[in-house]
Structures are given as C-alpha cells and as structure tokens.
Amino acid sequence: MSQALRPSACPGLLRIVQALDGGICRIKLNGGSISADQADAVADAAEGYAGGVIEATNRANLQIRGIGSEETALIESLLAAGLGPRTTAGDDVRNLMLSPSAGIDRQMLIDTRPLAEQILASLQSHERFHELSAKFAVQLDGGEALAMLEHHHDLWLSAVEQDGECLLAFGLAGCPTEMPISAVRLEHGHALVIAVLELFLDLARPEQTRMRHLLAEQPMAGFVAQLAERVPLVPITCVPRASSMPPIGAYPQREPDGFYVGAVPPLGRLDAAMLRGAAKLARLHGDGSLRFTPWQSLLLPNIQARDAAEVIHNLETLGLRCSVDDALAHLIACTGSAGCGKGLADTKGDALQLAALLQRHGQIQSVHLSGCSRSCAAAHVAPVTLLAVSPGHYDLYFRDAALPGFGALHARNLTIEAVATLLDARSRSPLDA
C-alpha cells in the first residue's frame, strides 16, 4: 500500500472526506458481500473512532460517518479486517455492482461471482485502470430476479438467453432497462470489460471522465466498431429487462429449503448494535455472511425455511424494517443539512415525519427526499422526488420517462404535511387508478 492516493472528492477506505458531521469513510464491498466478522469490525470502527453512524449506499457499499481525529486507527482496523483494496490506487476503481442474490437466485442464468472476481482483480492490478475516475462504474448481472437495473453505469453486462445459448448482453453509459448494444459469449466476458476500459482510456481526453462524456463526442457506432477489433461480438435481439423491487422479507433461493431475508435500515442508516446484531443472526442461522444491496438495504443469505420467521422477528427487534407494508422501508433520504453543507433541509428528519403521515394514511409509496439537486442518495429516478428548497419545504416531482432529471414538476414549496395530503389525495383519485 505504498502508492500515493490521487486527489478526489469521493471518499474511500483510505481517503477520509470531511462533511459537516465529521469525516466519511467509504468501504467498498466485493459484490456487496461482507462476512459477519468484517461486519463486527465495521461496527467497532464506527463506535470506536467515529460517531457510530453506518450507512448502506446505493452502490451496495458501506460508509462510516462522523470520523474524528483517529482516522489512521480507523483505517488500520478496517484493513486488518480484510476490507481494503489489493493496492492503494486500486481502491478508487473497485466499482463493480452485482445482484445481491448472485449465485443463489432461483432465476439466474449464470453465477456471476467468478467473473466478478476476475474483473475486480484486473481493476486493481492493471496500473492503467487506476487512471479511471473514482465514479467510473461497471454492473454485472446474471439474469437474477433480484437486480437493480435502473442505476446508470459506464458499462453494464447482463446474462441473456438467445437461440439456446447464454450470452452477456452489454451497453455503455446506460442500464439494462435499455436495449443492449451487442453481446459476447460467456468466455469473453472478462476480455470485453478489459477491452472497453482500455479503449475508453485510449480515446477519452482527461476531462472526459465518464463514458457518457466520451460518447457525447465519439459516435457509439465508431466506439463499437473499434471494440469489435479487440473482442468478438455477437449480434443481440433480446428485449430490455425490468428492474425488481427492493428485497423485504423472506424469499426462496435456488437451493431447496434455502431462503434469503431482506431488511431495510431506516433511511439507509445503521448503528453499531444493528450491524452487530445482523452479523450474529448471519452466524446463527445463515452462512456467516451479509449482503448489502443498491436499495440501501441488506439481506442474510442461506437461511433455513424453519428459521426465516425468527430471523425476521430478530431483525425487526434490532430496528430494521422487514415488512413491505412499512412506509419507512420505501423512503430514501440523503444526509441533508444535518451533515452536508449543500443540503437545504433536514431530509432525514423530514423523511421520518413523512413516513409517519403516509403510514397513518395507509399509503406505501417510493419517495426520494433530496437536500439539493445533486441527488446523492438515489442513483436512479424515484417515482416521487421531493427536492428541498428551504428548511421543511420541498418541490414535488413525479417520474416521467419523457422528461429529464426528476421528471414532471407537480407543485412547489410544499411542507411535509402538504406533501402527505397531496400524495394521499392523488392515490385515491380515479384518474390515477
């Protein structure tokens, strides 16, 4: 770990970035997975060297907030737990997102984990890839029923069946809910990723840090033609996939009598006791691992059917949400003004108030509260977005595929009470039935 860290605004495990509530350390998890012992190490670090706040991110990673003066001790404790990169410069580029149910999903076409290991090893070991932006991201799914497919990635790969053969369809600067550009055979999956990254670095100017920046200037057809010179491509005719809902509760796995249990930390935040408690349940009833999801939630895999109800009860006792009928389980909120200098409202506090009002009205809706237009908490557009304009006041947007950004602006400068009333009335309107 002797390489120097490059400047970046993005936190990493080795780079603590300051916020209003202290330092932020982002722990990138391989495929979103973490062992129970590693979860305990994160809980200990958050409690011992920070304010005790742990966040599940929308890229299936973890963050520790409120870090004070003991940055070095915190980093060393996490490295000792095996949560660091293979090389210092490799930490920034470990941006590979898998399905949370990789390898255990009943609907999967392939187990993506072996290919993911190859890709992660290359991202960290190829020095040239360290030139990539800390935001440059790759997604890989194996056709699982559980997959977040609405997050835009610089490169995405998705397992599909065509003419009796399993292929990896792929796209650039988009997501699998869009038409794929082309495909490769499974044995060329790793070579495709290498070729795309190398070609991007060959063509992009320093200020073109993301694939979308390059493709705004470089025609897609030209990029793909050059790509075809490096790896054999297969024409693809599959239809776009539809993204699934966040996993809440118990779901059957591929293995007989195996279940995974999904739980949502309120607004994506855990404390040390929650994380330790979930780790203990993973040891007692699962395989000793936890998986974090791009819905800012977690799941415990390989739970026996007879234990699922007990696991759910114990997770709820810890303060996690395990019911789809819980309004709070469907709300997303950024850090807000309590921890971010750009936040115009206390989004976390306002979200708790909104959840209570929606629950009282019997309304279960997916709502995103954003303290500013950067939309840090959600990597995709939610059905309902509240954009803060001042403390306790928000502009209300409804998702519209024909419009950019958050969608259609419906009302301005609403209080949380007004938002709840409007959403309740709209849900009961026959025009929206």
PDB file of all heavy atoms in Angstrom, residues 66-80:
ATOM      1  N   GLY A  66     -18.987  10.697  10.608  1.00  0.00           N
ATOM      2  CA  GLY A  66     -18.660  11.315  11.889  1.00  0.00           C
ATOM      3  C   GLY A  66     -17.300  10.943  12.425  1.00  0.00           C
ATOM      4  O   GLY A  66     -17.094  10.889  13.645  1.00  0.00           O
ATOM      5  N   ILE A  67     -16.339  10.713  11.528  1.00  0.00           N
ATOM      6  CA  ILE A  67     -14.988  10.326  11.961  1.00  0.00           C
ATOM      7  C   ILE A  67     -14.254  11.550  12.479  1.00  0.00           C
ATOM      8  O   ILE A  67     -14.256  12.610  11.848  1.00  0.00           O
ATOM      9  CB  ILE A  67     -14.217   9.688  10.793  1.00  0.00           C
ATOM     10  CG1 ILE A  67     -14.968   8.450  10.287  1.00  0.00           C
ATOM     11  CG2 ILE A  67     -12.797   9.311  11.204  1.00  0.00           C
ATOM     12  CD1 ILE A  67     -14.496   7.951   8.942  1.00  0.00           C
ATOM     13  N   GLY A  68     -13.618  11.395  13.622  1.00  0.00           N
ATOM     14  CA  GLY A  68     -12.876  12.491  14.234  1.00  0.00           C
ATOM     15  C   GLY A  68     -11.393  12.434  13.922  1.00  0.00           C
ATOM     16  O   GLY A  68     -10.982  12.210  12.780  1.00  0.00           O
ATOM     17  N   SER A  69     -10.582  12.600  14.920  1.00  0.00           N
ATOM     18  CA  SER A  69      -9.133  12.729  14.726  1.00  0.00           C
ATOM     19  C   SER A  69      -8.416  11.395  14.554  1.00  0.00           C
ATOM     20  O   SER A  69      -7.245  11.372  14.163  1.00  0.00           O
ATOM     21  CB  SER A  69      -8.524  13.482  15.914  1.00  0.00           C
ATOM     22  OG  SER A  69      -8.763  12.768  17.126  1.00  0.00           O
ATOM     23  N   GLU A  70      -9.099  10.282  14.837  1.00  0.00           N
ATOM     24  CA  GLU A  70      -8.414   8.983  14.793  1.00  0.00           C
ATOM     25  C   GLU A  70      -8.609   8.277  13.445  1.00  0.00           C
ATOM     26  O   GLU A  70      -8.943   7.099  13.383  1.00  0.00           O
ATOM     27  CB  GLU A  70      -8.904   8.108  15.941  1.00  0.00           C
ATOM     28  CG  GLU A  70      -8.576   8.684  17.313  1.00  0.00           C
ATOM     29  CD  GLU A  70      -8.940   7.746  18.440  1.00  0.00           C
ATOM     30  OE1 GLU A  70      -8.110   6.879  18.778  1.00  0.00           O
ATOM     31  OE2 GLU A  70     -10.060   7.846  18.963  1.00  0.00           O
ATOM     32  N   GLU A  71      -8.378   9.019  12.369  1.00  0.00           N
ATOM     33  CA  GLU A  71      -8.545   8.457  11.033  1.00  0.00           C
ATOM     34  C   GLU A  71      -7.627   7.259  10.810  1.00  0.00           C
ATOM     35  O   GLU A  71      -8.054   6.224  10.286  1.00  0.00           O
ATOM     36  CB  GLU A  71      -8.247   9.519   9.975  1.00  0.00           C
ATOM     37  CG  GLU A  71      -9.250  10.643   9.910  1.00  0.00           C
ATOM     38  CD  GLU A  71      -8.926  11.606   8.773  1.00  0.00           C
ATOM     39  OE1 GLU A  71      -7.957  11.339   8.028  1.00  0.00           O
ATOM     40  OE2 GLU A  71      -9.643  12.622   8.639  1.00  0.00           O
ATOM     41  N   THR A  72      -6.374   7.384  11.197  1.00  0.00           N
ATOM     42  CA  THR A  72      -5.399   6.322  10.941  1.00  0.00           C
ATOM     43  C   THR A  72      -5.791   5.036  11.648  1.00  0.00           C
ATOM     44  O   THR A  72      -5.739   3.948  11.058  1.00  0.00           O
ATOM     45  CB  THR A  72      -3.995   6.763  11.396  1.00  0.00           C
ATOM     46  OG1 THR A  72      -3.617   7.941  10.674  1.00  0.00           O
ATOM     47  CG2 THR A  72      -2.977   5.667  11.125  1.00  0.00           C
ATOM     48  N   ALA A  73      -6.204   5.133  12.896  1.00  0.00           N
ATOM     49  CA  ALA A  73      -6.602   3.941  13.640  1.00  0.00           C
ATOM     50  C   ALA A  73      -7.820   3.284  13.009  1.00  0.00           C
ATOM     51  O   ALA A  73      -7.901   2.051  12.919  1.00  0.00           O
ATOM     52  CB  ALA A  73      -6.896   4.307  15.095  1.00  0.00           C
ATOM     53  N   LEU A  74      -8.778   4.093  12.550  1.00  0.00           N
ATOM     54  CA  LEU A  74      -9.965   3.544  11.893  1.00  0.00           C
ATOM     55  C   LEU A  74      -9.581   2.795  10.628  1.00  0.00           C
ATOM     56  O   LEU A  74     -10.008   1.650  10.407  1.00  0.00           O
ATOM     57  CB  LEU A  74     -10.948   4.664  11.577  1.00  0.00           C
ATOM     58  CG  LEU A  74     -12.227   4.249  10.830  1.00  0.00           C
ATOM     59  CD1 LEU A  74     -13.433   4.976  11.392  1.00  0.00           C
ATOM     60  CD2 LEU A  74     -12.115   4.523   9.333  1.00  0.00           C
ATOM     61  N   ILE A  75      -8.755   3.420   9.783  1.00  0.00           N
ATOM     62  CA  ILE A  75      -8.345   2.790   8.521  1.00  0.00           C
ATOM     63  C   ILE A  75      -7.592   1.494   8.791  1.00  0.00           C
ATOM     64  O   ILE A  75      -7.846   0.461   8.148  1.00  0.00           O
ATOM     65  CB  ILE A  75      -7.489   3.766   7.695  1.00  0.00           C
ATOM     66  CG1 ILE A  75      -8.339   4.937   7.199  1.00  0.00           C
ATOM     67  CG2 ILE A  75      -6.835   3.051   6.511  1.00  0.00           C
ATOM     68  CD1 ILE A  75      -7.536   6.074   6.597  1.00  0.00           C
ATOM     69  N   GLU A  76      -6.671   1.521   9.752  1.00  0.00           N
ATOM     70  CA  GLU A  76      -5.876   0.326  10.050  1.00  0.00           C
ATOM     71  C   GLU A  76      -6.753  -0.818  10.544  1.00  0.00           C
ATOM     72  O   GLU A  76      -6.516  -1.985  10.210  1.00  0.00           O
ATOM     73  CB  GLU A  76      -4.799   0.666  11.083  1.00  0.00           C
ATOM     74  CG  GLU A  76      -3.669   1.523  10.505  1.00  0.00           C
ATOM     75  CD  GLU A  76      -2.634   1.908  11.549  1.00  0.00           C
ATOM     76  OE1 GLU A  76      -2.893   1.678  12.762  1.00  0.00           O
ATOM     77  OE2 GLU A  76      -1.572   2.437  11.153  1.00  0.00           O
ATOM     78  N   SER A  77      -7.783  -0.506  11.320  1.00  0.00           N
ATOM     79  CA  SER A  77      -8.665  -1.566  11.824  1.00  0.00           C
ATOM     80  C   SER A  77      -9.456  -2.208  10.687  1.00  0.00           C
ATOM     81  O   SER A  77      -9.685  -3.429  10.695  1.00  0.00           O
ATOM     82  CB  SER A  77      -9.611  -1.002  12.888  1.00  0.00           C
ATOM     83  OG  SER A  77     -10.601  -0.153  12.316  1.00  0.00           O
ATOM     84  N   LEU A  78      -9.858  -1.411   9.710  1.00  0.00           N
ATOM     85  CA  LEU A  78     -10.604  -1.952   8.577  1.00  0.00           C
ATOM     86  C   LEU A  78      -9.693  -2.742   7.642  1.00  0.00           C
ATOM     87  O   LEU A  78     -10.093  -3.779   7.095  1.00  0.00           O
ATOM     88  CB  LEU A  78     -11.296  -0.813   7.827  1.00  0.00           C
ATOM     89  CG  LEU A  78     -12.358  -0.050   8.641  1.00  0.00           C
ATOM     90  CD1 LEU A  78     -12.875   1.149   7.856  1.00  0.00           C
ATOM     91  CD2 LEU A  78     -13.519  -0.977   9.018  1.00  0.00           C
ATOM     92  N   LEU A  79      -8.472  -2.261   7.444  1.00  0.00           N
ATOM     93  CA  LEU A  79      -7.514  -3.023   6.636  1.00  0.00           C
ATOM     94  C   LEU A  79      -7.205  -4.364   7.288  1.00  0.00           C
ATOM     95  O   LEU A  79      -7.102  -5.394   6.611  1.00  0.00           O
ATOM     96  CB  LEU A  79      -6.224  -2.215   6.449  1.00  0.00           C
ATOM     97  CG  LEU A  79      -6.305  -0.989   5.536  1.00  0.00           C
ATOM     98  CD1 LEU A  79      -4.986  -0.225   5.571  1.00  0.00           C
ATOM     99  CD2 LEU A  79      -6.639  -1.412   4.107  1.00  0.00           C
ATOM    100  N   ALA A  80      -7.071  -4.374   8.607  1.00  0.00           N
ATOM    101  CA  ALA A  80      -6.789  -5.628   9.332  1.00  0.00           C
ATOM    102  C   ALA A  80      -7.925  -6.624   9.179  1.00  0.00           C
ATOM    103  O   ALA A  80      -7.708  -7.843   9.246  1.00  0.00           O
ATOM    104  CB  ALA A  80      -6.534  -5.326  10.813  1.00  0.00           C
TER     105      ALA A  80
END
